[in-house]
Amino acid sequence: MIPVKQTFDTLTKGFIRPCQWMWQRIQLLLIVLLSAPLVYADSPVNVIHILPDGSSISSELPDSIPRVLNHFQALTDKEIRLRAETRYSLHQLPDSKEAWEAEKSELKEKIVQSAGIEWVSTDLPFDLRETERHEREGFFIHDIAFQTLPGVYATANLYRPSGNGPWPAVLVMMGHWSEGKLAGQPIGEALARNGYVAMVIDPWGAGERSSYPGEFEYHGASLGTSLLNVGRSLLGIQVMDNRRAIDFLISRPYVDGDKLGATGASGGGNQTMWLTALDDRIDVSVPVVSVGTFDSYVLGHNCVCEVLPDGLVHSEMAGVLALLAPRALMIHNHNEESNPTFYPSEMLRTYNQLKPLYEAYGAGDKVAYDRFDRPHGYFQENRESLIGWLDLHLKGRGDGSSRPEGQLDPMDEEKLLVYPVDRFDGVETTSGYVRDRGRSLRAAHLNRDRLDPNELRNSLRVPLRLDNRPEPLPVRRYDAKEGWQRLVLEEPHGRLLPLLVGRSAGREPSGEAIVITHPQGKEQIPEAIIENHLRQGHTVVLPDLYGTGETDLSEENNFDDLAQFHTLGRASLWLGETMIGEWTEQLSRLGKVLNQELEISSWHLDATGETGLSALALSALEWGDPASITLRGTPVSWWSDRREGIDHFSMGVHLPGILEWGDVSQLAALSQAPLRVMDPVTLTGQPASQVFPEWLREYRQARERVGNREPVDSLRP
């Protein structure tokens, strides 16, 4: 279910974005007219390229940028698919219990690190706040809030059978129903009526934990991804949250802490898997419409809450579910599923790997699956199967088959709100958590007297997910088109980097090249920028960086209605990469091509938006030697100061743990190239002019701390 506000935002993007783009073009044209040498408006701009045989061609600057590749045929999709399928084949479970016992601790530690999980002490007070108690026939519902992380409170409904107990308890985790726990009322009631304590908890960032009191919202996309910058992931922080919910249940006198279960659908089923894999106290797990393969997750239309950074580097889903063995696991999938990620066929690929390992533990009867003729969701059939499976493995009753849930009598959902009027400030939101943690991390870096440039460079590779400096790659040349020479760099994994190279006719070559990048590809570069560089006699190079322009995903797999690079950004993380890191590698290779293939003596970078961060990273790592870097509309910091505008940049702008490393100012400090900054903005797209003196001072001070004397200038404050 998609919230109204999100639906409105999605519908209006088609109108708002073109207007913003047009205004940016007008601004850039004004800048060029005011700062560039005087030219006549009716003077044609001819593009010339010197071919390898010494001949030349020339034409006027075309109205549109020509393509480099005639038929791309979704090569990016195929390259990602091949790599994901290869990882699936490589990740095999061992045949014996002993071999798996030797491996699983290491896998758990990798998951914890990649997800940004930091276990909270059990000594942290729950500070329980109960706002309402509803007495029903045979059970009670408690509307509660309790502390899960220091200063962070979760909202939940606690369903408790009448009497003293103790009863087995089940944590119910909701998926992408924006109203959160309210959608889980039937599960909570069915469990309570059948002798179980059930906590139905609002997922992090959803339900009553959304950005604005009384407004339900989707917790993923750029909002959820912004947690990466402060060293968390939405997946990981949900695990931290839910583990504390288990702590809370065990602390209740009416709960039998030795008999615990977990369940949820979709994203809630995903949470069920991760929590049970990392918390051995849970005896029974029932993930619903969530089990497939990580291979199928990579290009699926999944939420960022289902993304483990580096996930396919570490394991496949069968490996994560194997961490549950020999505890009881029942998997539900639906025959009318609309998302290929969760098709029963994908589930069976995982189940067929998992079953032999359970048998090696002598627990083959503790793993099973069921399929229902239902669409995506959590239905009566699921609840009745859940009760039967719980009865067998927590109460020792029955044979595990479905049991009737009984007649349900749901309440008005508004009565289940913990804070129907004024929300307690401790109910932390994603944007609030990112703001506060980010501010603290930044303060720690800014208060350092000295920065070690070598240490910073070496550690920068971790958030960028980069290894060694890339080697030169083969270059293919094609016939010129409309005055532009067309080249393609052949990269690892079958990727291609297409680029255009052109030079203005009628001017002596300057021996300098300008590489112009844009996060939406070369066709979105304003003509005014290209014309200005051509008139100055520069060789102009227009690349389509990974996932942009001609290398974008096909429409079939491009689910970017929520945010640009929603699909590709998630796929990169699964494969142990980042968008900014990949662009940095490409720029490094491109620099070598300019020097070796095109005999360019010096080259400059003119980068728009988040591609400017890759330009800075290139120079900071000393993987390239651009003579200067111009940043246009690039964020001045990875710190997100507010909720509004969180979608200004693409999902590719976020890096795992970058604010634990430093910030854009430290990146700029390591760059040995002079910087020119135009129209700087915050991460949420606000003009940096309001904080410009402080921002510029921060950059200059950071450069002084590493002994860098190259200037930082601004053309517009």
Side-chain angles (χ1 to χ4, degrees), residues 298-538:
V298 166
L299 284 182
H301 197 177
N302 293 65
C303 177
V304 71
C305 76
E306 298 166 327
V307 174
L308 175 68
D310 315 315
L312 266 169
V313 177
H314 302 324
S315 181
E316 244 294 343
M317 186 176 287
V320 177
L321 287 172
L323 295 174
L324 279 62
R327 292 170 288 161
L329 170 64
M330 168 63 78
I331 302 169
H332 288 182
N333 287 74
H334 291 170
N335 295 325
E336 298 175 14
E337 176 64 60
S338 60
N339 189 340
T341 297
F342 309 126
Y343 280 175
S345 57
E346 290 296 326
M347 176 272 292
L348 288 172
R349 291 173 69 195
T350 292
Y351 178 83
N352 289 333
Q353 287 191 63
L354 187 61
K355 178 73 170 179
L357 183 64
Y358 262 82
E359 292 174 342
Y361 274 90
D365 59 340
K366 287 191 174 182
V367 61
Y369 69 86
D370 212 340
R371 295 187 296 183
F372 301 104
D373 293 327
R374 285 285 197 169
H376 197 75
Y378 207 124
F379 299 96
Q380 179 177 348
E381 294 93 325
N382 303 109
R383 299 192 296 268
E384 294 182 339
S385 175
L386 167 72
I387 293 168
W389 192 251
L390 291 172
D391 279 358
L392 172 62
H393 296 287
L394 293 183
K395 294 181 178 180
R397 291 174 12 191
D399 59 4
S401 59
S402 296
R403 277 194 53 220
E405 64 180 0
Q407 184 66 38
L408 303 186
D409 181 23
M411 289 180 58
D412 184 346
E413 288 185 347
E414 290 188 5
K415 294 182 179 180
L416 297 178
L417 293 173
V418 181
Y419 296 105
V421 181
D422 296 321
R423 185 170 68 183
F424 169 51
D425 290 341
V427 180
E428 185 65 281
T429 66
T430 297
S431 57
Y433 182 86
V434 169
R435 180 193 64 237
D436 295 343
R437 181 171 167 82
R439 182 188 291 116
S440 176
L441 292 172
R442 271 177 46 81
H445 295 296
L446 296 178
N447 290 334
R448 294 169 62 182
D449 294 331
R450 184 179 177 276
L451 300 174
D452 184 332
N454 291 327
E455 179 183 336
L456 280 175
R457 285 191 181 94
N458 290 333
S459 57
L460 176 60
R461 298 183 186 187
V462 176
L464 290 173
R465 298 302 197 264
L466 293 177
D467 295 321
N468 299 319
R469 182 171 179 168
E471 295 297 320
L473 294 170
V475 179
R476 290 184 179 270
R477 297 172 182 262
Y478 297 93
D479 292 339
K481 182 179 290 187
E482 300 180 30
W484 293 95
Q485 180 64 33
R486 300 179 298 149
L487 285 77
V488 174
L489 275 64
E490 296 184 65
E491 299 193 283
H493 313 305
R495 290 180 184 169
L496 301 180
L497 173 57
L499 54 113
L500 298 175
V501 180
R503 197 162 63 212
S504 178
R507 295 186 64 96
E508 287 295 324
S510 65
E512 295 182 310
I514 305 292
V515 177
I516 309 175
T517 63
H518 194 286
Q520 295 177 7
K522 59 183 181 296
E523 289 189 356
Q524 298 303 317
I525 299 171
E527 292 178 8
I529 297 177
I530 300 173
E531 291 177 2
N532 188 43
H533 288 306
L534 287 172
R535 287 191 175 101
Q536 296 180 49
H538 299 151

Side-chain angles (χ1 to χ4, degrees), residues 513-517 539-543 587 590 594 603-607:
I514 305 292
V515 177
I516 309 175
T517 63
T539 297
V540 172
V541 182
L542 309 178
L587 290 175
L590 180 53
L594 294 176
W603 61 290
H604 307 255
L605 270 166
D606 188 323

Side-chain angles (χ1 to χ4, degrees), residues 601-663:
S601 58
S602 66
W603 61 290
H604 307 255
L605 270 166
D606 188 323
T608 295
E610 50 269 54
T611 65
L613 299 173
S614 295
L616 289 177
L618 171 77
S619 184
L621 290 169
E622 297 182 333
W623 282 11
D625 54 354
S628 70
I629 298 175
T630 298
L631 306 176
R632 301 176 188 268
T634 296
V636 298
S637 171
W638 269 287
W639 178 53
S640 179
D641 56 333
R642 62 181 208 151
R643 168 64 178 88
E644 295 83 358
I646 195 67
D647 294 316
H648 179 80
F649 289 104
S650 71
M651 278 176 50
V653 76
H654 305 294
L655 292 176
I658 187 62
L659 286 175
E660 294 179 318
W661 171 84
D663 203 352

Side-chain angles (χ1 to χ4, degrees), residues 83-100:
R83 294 178 64 198
E85 290 169 6
T86 300
R87 301 307 302 183
Y88 173 87
S89 299
L90 292 174
H91 290 306
Q92 298 185 26
L93 292 176
D95 296 328
S96 70
K97 168 186 172 182
E98 292 73 22
W100 179 240

